Amino acid sequence: MAPAATAQPPAPGALTFLKQGVVLPARRPGLFLRLFALNVVLSAAVHLFGVPVMASLDAAVNAADAEFSISRVCLPMGAGVAYLFLYLAVWLARKVAAACAAVAACSGGERDVVTLGSLLRRVRTTLLRVSATVALGAVLWAACAAACVAAALVAPPLAIYLTGSLRLLLLGALLAALALRLCFHLEAVCAMAVVVTAAEPGGAASAVARAWRLMRGAGGGERALVYVVATWALQMAAGPVGDLAVPRLLPSGMDRVVVLVVGACLKYVLNFVVDVVSMTSIAAYYFECRKREDDDKEKEKAGHID
């Protein structure tokens, strides 16, 4: 009697990774609460450092009782530059921490405990590599965006001026649309490259190339577009949702300072939730693509054996 064929699990749907971006943080609240605590500490440190720096810089530049001189603003300007670098470093650290938490949520079991110390160690070991990946992705995306703008603004007028041909005009519009489509795809690739850097060894170029290869499968372009559009929609909705929620959370007649503080805190939480959902979604997509790649390799290996 022939052995029964092994039932294959159903293929994940086109929006499964977006669903996982919401479900996984809900299943691992402890992990993402630690991530939130880390974000709050880092943001508070930047704010506490930035307030006196900005105050001293403003006082040095706008001093009314003394003449303006370079020597008066050298120290505040240096502190301002240091603040910008600190802000960038904290932003990268938060991004790395979100990527590490998303990878842990997607790869580990629900009982696997990721402590704050282990999360900090992961951030420390991958910060430089993720920084290089983010920088490379920004350069690639800027080049693609520049090509998109050039195709949209330069090619059609040039085609009309040189020949007046409608075909060249349509060709310019088509090139602009393709460049815009490539920008969307490249943004998703760069987001996945951050996850690749957090999950696998290697440098920035290899992470971007790895993410590009993983997203070449069936439906990769459509899912990348869905991811980018969903992320942008959530980011744009966070602010208005916070503005609408504050009057309903607080009683009427509340002090204006309290309203501002509550509104700022609520927007901070909403932006954190959006970042977590976005990073966890792309991490789930990464593991989905990696599983598909492993399955294809196993099928190819089995075919060679047969």
Side-chain angles (χ1 to χ4, degrees):
M1 183 176 179
T6 304
Q8 296 292 333
L15 302 179
T16 302
F17 69 100
L18 293 179
K19 176 184 175 183
Q20 293 298 318
V22 178
V23 172
L24 288 175
R27 290 179 178 174
R28 304 287 300 274
L31 170 61
F32 290 96
L33 284 176
R34 297 183 186 94
L35 177 64
F36 179 73
L38 179 61
N39 275 262
V40 170
V41 171
L42 292 175
S43 300
V46 172
H47 179 72
L48 292 176
F49 181 78
V51 169
V53 168
M54 294 297 107
S56 62
L57 182 60
D58 182 70
V61 173
N62 299 320
D65 57 345
E67 294 183 358
F68 177 82
S69 63
I70 298 298
S71 59
R72 286 180 57 85
V73 298
C74 280
L75 184 59
M77 285 292 290
V81 172
Y83 170 71
L84 291 178
F85 277 104
L86 177 63
Y87 183 88
L88 180 60
V90 168
W91 178 79
L92 287 171
R94 291 173 57 184
K95 196 174 189 68
V96 174
C100 293
V103 169
C106 294
S107 61
E110 295 185 13
R111 296 183 179 180
D112 295 340
V113 178
V114 179
T115 63
L116 186 59
S118 63
L119 190 60
L120 286 173
R121 285 192 295 272
R122 293 186 184 184
V123 171
R124 184 182 59 189
T125 55
T126 58
L127 180 59
L128 292 179
R129 294 193 296 119
V130 171
S131 301
T133 303
V134 171
L136 178 60
V139 171
L140 293 175
W141 192 89
C144 184
C148 179
V149 172
L153 299 180
V154 177
L158 187 61
I160 295 175
Y161 176 76
L162 291 179
T163 62
S165 174
L166 181 61
R167 292 181 179 179
L168 290 179
L169 182 62
L170 293 177
L171 179 60
L174 179 61
L175 290 176
L178 290 176
L180 182 62
R181 180 68 179 81
L182 181 59
C183 283
F184 286 150
H185 188 78
L186 191 58
E187 182 169 348
V189 168
C190 293
M192 183 180 284
V194 173
V195 177
V196 172
T197 308
E200 301 178 5
S206 61
V208 174
R210 168 78 166 152
W212 184 275
R213 289 194 302 270
L214 287 174
M215 295 183 68
R216 284 189 309 183
E222 291 75 11
R223 293 186 182 186
L225 181 61
V226 168
Y227 167 76
V228 173
V229 171
T231 300
W232 285 3
L234 289 175
Q235 290 173 348
M236 289 187 294
V241 168
D243 293 334
L244 291 175
V246 170
R248 290 168 173 77
L249 293 175
L250 298 177
S252 59
M254 184 65 67
D255 187 72
R256 187 169 181 270
V257 176
V258 176
V259 174
L260 291 176
V261 171
V262 173
C265 293
L266 182 59
K267 289 181 181 179
Y268 183 88
V269 173
L270 289 175
N271 287 323
F272 171 78
V273 171
V274 170
D275 292 341
V276 165
V277 171
S278 175
M279 188 63 72
T280 310
S281 297
I282 199 66
Y285 187 23
Y286 158 73
F287 281 99
E288 179 184 317
C289 293
R290 198 171 77 171
K291 184 178 183 302
R292 185 186 66 233
E293 183 186 53
D294 294 340
D295 292 342
D296 292 341
K297 289 181 179 179
E298 290 182 0
K299 291 179 181 178
E300 183 179 357
K301 184 178 179 181
H304 285 310
I305 293 176
D306 293 340

